[in-house]
Amino acid sequence: NARTPMQWDTSPNGGFTTGKPWLPVNPNYQEINAADQVQRADSVFNYYKKLIALRHASELIKYGHYELLRPEDPELYIYRRYLDSQELLCVCNFSAKTRSYKLPEPFRQGTVLIKNLPDHDPSNGLLAPYEAYVIKK
């Protein structure tokens, strides 16, 4: 919730202030806070750090041409980037249900650059709810 004090850590008031905050601190600050996100390898914070590092390290991601592959499907965001002989595929399921998606042939033997579900195999033809991955061919 954007209208509550930032939950920095597990200290009183989530580390937001030593005084009395104007708005109440969310009671979940003991479990959900910035310090926990920084510490946990599987956190959203660390996932975004990996995404940013991937972008900084890749000319293909920064400068590659963009091609949307499923414009008619509001739940799947799938696109291809290509630059010279390099190509990658970004696949995202923005729904709460499992969806089928068969990887195009050129990407079946590709290298997974990043994925948000470590134990899920992108080549199995299914996208788990809210699954996202990027494959380079």
Side-chain angles (χ1 to χ4, degrees):
N1 189 331
R3 302 288 296 179
T4 62
M6 180 65 186
Q7 298 171 201
W8 291 108
D9 55 34
T10 60
S11 64
N13 298 314
F16 180 74
T17 182
T18 57
K20 180 166 175 47
W22 176 56
L23 293 170
V25 176
N26 192 314
N28 68 2
Y29 76 90
Q30 293 285 333
E31 297 84 36
I32 300 173
N33 57 67
D36 177 65
Q37 286 287 302
V38 169
Q39 183 180 350
R40 280 189 16 243
D42 66 342
S43 70
V44 172
F45 172 81
N46 281 304
Y47 187 75
Y48 271 86
K49 278 180 61 176
K50 291 175 191 172
L51 286 171
I52 291 166
L54 190 59
R55 178 171 168 72
H56 284 294
S58 173
E59 299 293 306
L60 172 59
I61 293 173
K62 285 190 277 193
Y63 304 115
H65 302 281
Y66 168 86
E67 178 186 7
L68 184 60
L69 300 179
R70 288 270 187 104
E72 73 287 349
D73 192 329
E75 295 178 339
L76 299 182
Y77 181 49
I78 302 171
Y79 67 88
R80 177 177 78 104
R81 278 210 182 269
Y82 55 97
L83 182 66
D84 302 324
S85 63
Q86 299 178 75
E87 217 175 317
L88 68 75
L89 183 71
C90 179
V91 180
C92 305
N93 178 4
F94 290 143
S95 76
K97 58 188 175 219
T98 300
R99 296 287 308 267
S100 62
Y101 179 70
K102 188 173 181 178
L103 277 174
E105 184 62 42
F107 293 97
R108 290 188 191 153
Q109 302 303 317
T111 302
V112 176
L113 300 180
I114 193 166
K115 60 183 180 174
N116 67 338
L117 300 178
D119 298 330
H120 199 259
D121 180 6
S123 67
N124 74 358
L126 296 174
L127 285 167
Y130 306 108
E131 179 176 12
Y133 57 82
V134 177
I135 295 180
K136 185 175 179 184
K137 97 173 180 177

